[in-house]
Amino acid sequence: MELIEVFNRKKIFFVCLLYTLFCCKGNNKEEFVANDLKSDAKIGNSDASCFVDQKCINKNDLNGFVYEFQNEIVEVVSGKNSTNDFVINGEKYLSNLTLESADLNLYYYKCSAKKIFLFEGDDYYSSTIFAYLFENKNLYYLGNFIISQPNVEKTGVKKKDFKISTDNNQIYIEVLLNSKSFKTYKLNERKSISKETQITSKIDLSGIWRLNCENSLTTFEISGMEGYMSLYSDNAIFINVELVGIENKLNEYYVRFKGTESQQKYYEDKKNTVDSEISKTQNIGRLVLKDNNILFYWNGLYNDKTKKRDFVDDFVMLKENAGKNPIVLKKCEE
């Protein structure tokens, strides 16, 4: 009888040992998968938490997907075979990305020269995030991951935020939903995205352009890549501008403020310009040459002091065009 009890004890011990070994093996496998896709490891690099969220200054959905930040302008444009490419600060990057989601969003995080762009294809129940590194005017694809919210009807749409860290050239992206940690992804892939060669316009823009050739209030005089234009009628403000060719877009130009040519200050209670407050790097508009006319898409002057746009709705050309944007300008005889 005792012999049978000893045998049974050994049998139970052996079964428990197998169970323990099996469970440990399963945990090791799960842990390996977790470390490959997400990581809670502490980041020891000095620049681990230096990525800072960059706030969007202007988002334009009417004329396409355009996000404007303090020093970056990011666009999504149609590419080949129903794919999409990115235009960053006028340079086109051939990402060949397929975006079929209902809504597109962009998150931008900066750490010194390193910049992370997260493009979101949002389909309500889940989002696909495509991660890119932008450094020294080079764009690299880092990979993508999915954020699922299957119970969105009960919980509501949760606000997404990201914490980005680096460690030994690895990039970790922690996803926060309503400020609570969801998952942390480690992105190992780094694929260089090629740039397209710039197309140079063969059409000379030089000349006088107006809404109505008899109306000097709507003058836009262009010489080479510089211009002189009406801004505001009440105090007779005229400004000098610079034209910047848009990468890979034939006959399209960004318009940037250079300085105030003149202003009369007839009325103290009306608007005036202060050159030192106006950004010379932010685009104030965009020109598209089409059918021998100029389509002038107006944004307004960006005020570095107030962090807002000036002369948006009261821009003289927009007022003369009944508030319609873009403004169609015709070339006039001198």
Side-chain angles (χ1 to χ4, degrees), residues 121-150:
D122 188 359
D123 291 316
Y124 192 60
Y125 290 104
S126 66
S127 298
T128 303
I129 305 292
F130 300 90
Y132 291 84
L133 169 67
F134 188 59
E135 187 175 20
N136 299 323
K137 294 187 177 182
N138 294 313
L139 186 66
Y140 304 93
Y141 175 66
L142 301 176
N144 65 79
F145 51 89
I146 295 175
I147 303 173
S148 298
Q149 298 188 57

Side-chain angles (χ1 to χ4, degrees), residues 231-243:
L231 176 69
Y232 186 63
S233 57
D234 286 354
N235 278 328
I237 303 176
F238 294 85
I239 61 173
N240 294 318
V241 298
E242 175 188 18
L243 304 185

Side-chain angles (χ1 to χ4, degrees), residues 96-108:
N96 296 318
L97 182 62
T98 301
L99 296 170
E100 298 178 347
S101 301
D103 294 306
L104 300 179
N105 298 301
L106 174 65
Y107 305 88
Y108 168 31

Side-chain angles (χ1 to χ4, degrees), residues 228 231 236-241 257-264 272-276 278 280 301:
Y228 163 87
L231 176 69
I237 303 176
F238 294 85
I239 61 173
N240 294 318
V241 298
F257 176 82
K258 286 190 67 178
T260 303
E261 172 69 22
S262 63
Q263 61 180 330
Q264 296 302 322
N272 292 290
T273 57
V274 179
D275 279 22
S276 61
I278 306 302
K280 295 178 176 60
L301 308 186

Side-chain angles (χ1 to χ4, degrees), residues 28 42 48 78 81 101 115 178 180 254 273 318 332:
N28 286 337
K42 294 181 179 179
S78 297
N81 302 320
S101 301
K115 303 165 186 180
N178 286 353
K180 293 183 179 180
Y254 291 124
T273 57
L318 196 62
C332 305

Side-chain angles (χ1 to χ4, degrees), residues 13 62 71 98 106 148 172 200 214 231 241 258 291 304 314 328 330:
F13 176 78
L62 296 177
N71 296 306
T98 301
L106 174 65
S148 298
Y172 297 83
T200 304
E214 297 177 357
L231 176 69
V241 298
K258 286 190 67 178
D291 299 328
D304 282 328
D314 48 7
V328 180
K330 302 175 182 179

Side-chain angles (χ1 to χ4, degrees), residues 199-207 209 222-226 243-246 249-253 287-295 329-331:
I199 301 173
T200 304
S201 173
K202 295 181 180 179
I203 298 178
D204 185 11
L205 284 173
S206 296
W209 300 81
I222 300 174
S223 177
M225 297 300 284
E226 295 184 347
L243 304 185
V244 180
I246 300 178
K249 290 190 177 181
L250 187 62
N251 300 324
E252 295 194 26
Y253 305 84
L287 293 185
V288 178
L289 222 127
K290 186 176 182 181
D291 299 328
N292 296 319
N293 293 326
I294 282 179
L295 302 183
L329 301 177
K330 302 175 182 179
K331 199 166 190 178

